[in-house]
Amino acid sequence: MTSNIKRTIVVTGGSKGIGRAICAAFAAPGAGIYFNFNSPQTTGKETADLIRKSGGIPRGIRVNVASDTQVTDFFKTIIDETGRIDVLVNNAGITKDGLMLRMKEQSWDDVINVNLKGTFLCIRSAARTMIKQRHGRIINITSIAGVAGNPGQANYAASKAGIIGLTKTAARELASRNITVNAIAPGFIKTDMTTELSEKVESDIISQIPLGRAGTPEDIAETAVFLASDNADYITGQVIHVNGGMYI
C-alpha cells in the first residue's frame, strides 16, 4: 500500500482532452490519481507530468474498460496500492460516427461497449470499495448528444443516454451508503477530436451557443471537482449540463 496517498481519484480515459484536464484538476499533494488509456500510441506521460506538477501522484495503466477482466484487475491494483477509492470519474469514450442506415453492427457494438458497458463495469468495481468505506463520489461523463440526439451519432447518443439512466439508477442504489452519483453533459468542447472540424463547421456550431464560445476541458474538470467536493454532499442522480446554453 502506498502510504503517502491520502485520497484516491480514478479517471478513465485520462490521457488526453477532458480526461487529462480532470486528472490535472484533482491533482494535489497527497492525491493519488489513477487513470487509464487504451490506445497503443498512448503512454499517458503528458497527464502524469501535469499531475506531478501539482504535487499529485500519477499512475497511468493501459486498460480496456469494455473488458470485465481488465477492469477488475485495474481496480484490484488500485485497492492493493492505496486501500481506498474516493472518487471515480467515468470519462473513457469513443466515437464511430455514421448515418444510422449505413452504420455497421460492429461500430454500434464498439461504442456501446466502451462508453456504456465500460461505465457500468467501473461503477460496479468502485462501488464495492465505496460501500465498505460508506463514502464515495462517482461522476459519469455523458454528452449533450445523450439528451438532444445528433445526426450521424446513433451509437454515441444511445450510449450517452444510457449513461444518464445508469447514473440515476446507481444514485438510488448507493445513496444509503453515502455515495453520490452524478453525470456531467458537456456541449461543444475544444479537444483534439474537434480540431478535425473545418472552420465553417466550428463557426456554425458556435453560432448556436448563447454564450458565444466553445467550452474548454477545464470547464468540465472544474464541474467534476465540485461534484466530488463536500459542497456537493446533497447532490445525487443529477445531470449537470455544461454547454454554454446550447441545450436548455
Side-chain angles (χ1 to χ4, degrees):
M1 186 179 297
T2 306
S3 60
N4 54 338
I5 291 180
K6 309 302 181 188
R7 191 180 190 217
T8 303
I9 317 295
V10 184
V11 181
T12 67
S15 65
K16 59 185 179 180
I18 290 172
R20 181 186 295 169
I22 291 170
C23 288
F26 276 104
I33 314 293
Y34 284 74
F35 64 97
N36 90 294
F37 49 87
N38 193 37
S39 170
Q41 294 78 36
T42 302
T43 65
K45 182 181 182 302
E46 296 90 344
T47 299
D49 288 345
L50 281 174
I51 293 168
R52 288 192 193 96
K53 187 176 180 181
S54 297
I57 303 163
R59 183 87 150 84
I61 302 175
R62 192 179 304 280
V63 178
N64 176 5
V65 296
S67 166
D68 190 2
T69 300
Q70 290 188 38
V71 168
T72 298
D73 290 345
F74 179 45
F75 281 90
K76 183 179 185 304
T77 296
I78 296 167
I79 295 305
D80 288 347
E81 293 183 359
T82 74
R84 60 184 302 109
I85 299 173
D86 297 284
V87 180
L88 167 64
V89 183
N90 284 302
N91 169 73
I94 62 170
T95 58
K96 290 193 174 182
D97 296 349
L99 292 175
M100 187 164 53
L101 295 182
R102 298 176 185 171
M103 184 174 289
K104 296 185 182 302
E105 183 180 0
Q106 192 63 54
S107 295
W108 173 272
D109 289 346
D110 288 347
V111 171
I112 296 295
N113 283 340
V114 172
N115 297 6
L116 182 55
K117 179 184 174 185
T119 297
F120 160 71
L121 291 176
C122 290
I123 289 175
R124 189 177 63 177
S125 286
R128 289 169 177 152
T129 296
M130 291 178 174
I131 286 170
K132 294 175 184 175
Q133 297 168 177
R134 299 191 69 84
H135 187 272
R137 299 287 179 262
I138 297 173
I139 300 153
N140 302 319
I141 306 301
T142 178
S143 169
I144 189 172
V147 291
N150 200 30
Q153 288 194 314
N155 48 5
Y156 183 77
S159 72
K160 293 300 185 177
I163 286 172
I164 292 174
L166 178 59
T167 297
K168 292 177 179 291
T169 297
R172 289 183 180 276
E173 290 189 6
L174 299 174
S176 64
R177 296 297 189 271
N178 195 30
I179 301 166
T180 63
V181 188
N182 292 289
I184 300 172
F188 182 66
I189 307 297
K190 289 286 285 184
T191 64
D192 291 344
M193 193 181 298
T194 60
T195 58
E196 299 174 4
L197 299 175
S198 69
E199 286 187 14
K200 182 181 186 309
V201 170
E202 182 174 331
S203 176
D204 288 346
I205 293 172
I206 290 175
S207 70
Q208 302 172 43
I209 303 173
L211 286 183
R213 69 169 177 88
T216 67
E218 289 72 25
D219 290 324
I220 309 305
E222 291 304 324
T223 306
V225 169
F226 166 70
L227 288 173
S229 73
D230 291 343
N231 293 327
D233 271 352
Y234 202 54
I235 300 174
T236 196
Q238 303 305 306
V239 180
I240 311 299
H241 294 273
V242 185
N243 58 38
M246 189 177 187
Y247 175 87
I248 298 176

